[in-house]
Amino acid sequence: MSNVRPESMARIETKELADKFIAEQVAEVRAQVGDKKVLLALSGGVDSSVVAALLIKAIGKQLICVHVNHGLMRKDESEEVIRIFRDGLDANLVYVDATDRFLGKLEGVSDPEKKRKIIGGEFIVVFDEEARKLTDVDFLAQGTIYPDILESDGVKAHHNVGGLPEDMKFELVEPIKLLYKDEVRVVGKALGLPASMVDRQPFPGPGLGVRCLGAITRDRLHALREADAILREEFDICGLSQKVWQYFIAVPDMKSVGVKDSKRYEGWPAIIRAVNTSDAMTATIEEIPYEVLHKITARITAEVEGINRVLLDLTPKPVGTIEWE
Ligand code: XMP
């Protein structure tokens, strides 16, 4: 398949067009890989999930999905990957819980770029270790999509396996590389993936690692994950999750004094960030109704150990980036 989208290619907007695309790709992938095995790093993001579902349809257990849990996933995210792919689609799924390795490497590291490098580097090491345990794998599947090709050299910027060591030679399988993001979502739905997976908001490769600000500790990471789960739950309830482009909690490495059960209670603040954008280059702030903010604040301060204040980030991009680090 060439890397250029033909002008004649119709925009995949309907179930019928998605089904046609899926049938074509199933045939193409079968012709490409024959009876060989294919490896895929399945993060649980939209692109890798759609590639996984497509390849399971085409070649079943010849596809080996590796899901690396770096310990920086949102609440229940890895469990959802296992539920959907291993339990639901009977996928050949290798689950690697590398939490201790990642958090060990990140201990005491507060510089954001160093944190990103450690996370990206360790991901490749863990994936490489898993790949070497397998035999007869000739192909590597990737969730490259058309904007990745237009914006870069065609290799996913993060979580990419283009960084695998030179001696690991794979032929690439990239069935959705000519699709735009909205088309990937239509194809994902046609493949039967749940909306919770196909319509999910963007999530950075380094995950909660760039939202647990400064040097990550397990207790603060846990508080962040719980607070973020409450924010997402409440956005689902009031319908904001359908409308807001990206929303999350960041927890800085600082404490303030509070009071709980008539006792002094020192805790971290949870910072709410909810932004809208079309290209992530600039972003505006979602005006969250005050009653929703009050409910989220009440729940987070009551339910999350270690959080004693909830703050709202009102800064558009520029001047604030979407993430805090
Ligand atoms: P910023 O913070 O630069 O973010 O305004 C723009 C978009 O990119 C996401 N982001 C990342 N995605 N690896 C990723 O895969 C990263 O290191 C990273 N940093 C930011 C961010 O979530 C937002 O959608």
Side-chain angles (χ1 to χ4, degrees):
M1 203 195 321
S2 123
N3 271 359
V4 182
R5 185 175 165 121
E7 275 185 24
S8 58
M9 186 169 157
R11 195 92 179 182
I12 301 172
E13 286 168 337
T14 61
K15 167 99 169 66
E16 288 66 36
L17 285 171
D19 286 340
K20 184 165 168 278
F21 173 84
I22 292 164
E24 283 164 8
Q25 287 308 313
V26 164
E28 199 161 313
V29 168
R30 283 181 184 155
Q32 186 187 1
V33 308
D35 59 2
K36 298 285 181 0
K37 288 187 197 150
V38 181
L39 185 62
L40 169 74
L42 176 60
S43 68
V46 180
D47 305 335
S48 65
S49 295
V50 170
V51 168
L54 187 58
L55 293 189
I56 289 167
K57 196 176 171 77
I59 56 169
K61 300 244 169 168
Q62 284 166 251
L63 175 73
I64 302 158
C65 304
V66 177
H67 176 68
V68 177
N69 179 356
H70 53 22
L72 304 164
M73 310 289 278
R74 288 169 293 191
K75 192 173 180 180
D76 291 334
E77 229 169 1
S78 285
E79 290 78 1
E80 197 185 9
V81 169
I82 294 171
R83 201 163 51 240
I84 292 173
F85 288 96
R86 185 184 283 164
D87 305 345
L89 296 177
D90 197 24
N92 201 345
L93 173 69
V94 179
Y95 170 68
V96 189
D97 184 353
T99 302
D100 289 338
R101 287 177 63 160
F102 278 86
L103 295 188
K105 283 237 149 75
L106 287 164
E107 212 173 299
V109 181
S110 55
D111 178 69
E113 288 318 307
K114 274 200 192 125
K115 287 166 71 179
R116 276 193 170 79
K117 279 214 173 75
I118 289 171
I119 297 165
E122 191 62 12
F123 181 86
I124 290 167
V125 172
V126 174
F127 187 77
D128 176 45
E129 278 176 18
E130 292 306 315
R132 283 176 199 278
K133 287 183 197 161
L134 304 165
T135 48
D136 319 327
V137 177
D138 293 332
F139 295 89
L140 183 74
Q142 289 203 139
T144 313
I145 66 172
Y146 206 45
D148 300 327
I149 291 177
L150 296 178
E151 285 161 22
S152 71
D153 58 357
V155 176
K156 283 240 141 177
H158 191 81
H159 271 194
N160 71 63
V161 277
L164 277 180
E166 281 284 296
D167 65 322
M168 300 204 76
K169 292 257 178 283
F170 292 113
E171 190 180 320
L172 291 181
V173 178
E174 298 179 300
I176 59 170
K177 72 176 178 184
L178 297 184
L179 301 191
Y180 288 100
K181 194 80 174 191
D182 51 326
E183 298 179 299
V184 177
R185 295 189 207 277
V186 177
V187 169
K189 279 183 192 141
L191 283 162
L193 289 174
S196 62
M197 186 151 255
V198 171
D199 291 330
R200 56 180 33 198
Q201 51 168 326
F203 186 59
L208 299 182
V210 291
R211 298 176 182 171
C212 191
L213 310 178
I216 299 168
T217 56
R218 285 180 191 249
D219 53 355
R220 196 156 51 87
L221 180 62
H222 179 73
L224 161 62
R225 183 176 284 123
E226 294 298 317
D228 185 69
I230 291 173
L231 177 79
R232 287 193 290 139
E233 218 175 287
E234 291 301 326
F235 267 38
D236 279 344
I237 291 170
C238 72
L240 278 175
S241 53
Q242 311 280 328
K243 182 175 168 234
V244 182
W245 197 79
Q246 195 169 8
Y247 49 96
F248 56 86
I249 298 280
V251 177
D253 186 12
M254 62 154 289
K255 283 189 170 176
S256 70
V257 178
V259 59
K260 198 173 189 180
D261 304 325
S262 312
K263 282 203 274 294
R264 187 180 161 101
Y265 185 72
E266 287 193 357
W268 305 288
I271 301 163
I272 300 174
R273 184 134 178 84
V275 299
N276 292 307
T277 175
S278 52
D279 56 9
M281 303 295 284
T282 62
T284 56
I285 294 305
E286 174 68 23
E287 296 195 3
I288 308 167
Y290 260 88
E291 59 185 282
V292 177
L293 289 170
H294 285 308
K295 190 170 172 214
I296 292 167
T297 303
R299 280 198 62 195
I300 290 178
T301 50
E303 294 173 34
V304 183
E305 176 75 30
I307 302 279
N308 68 351
R309 286 171 200 266
V310 176
L311 314 182
L312 176 63
D313 184 350
L314 285 171
T315 323
K317 176 181 181 178
V319 77
T321 46
I322 293 176
E323 302 292 343
W324 267 59
E325 32 176 63

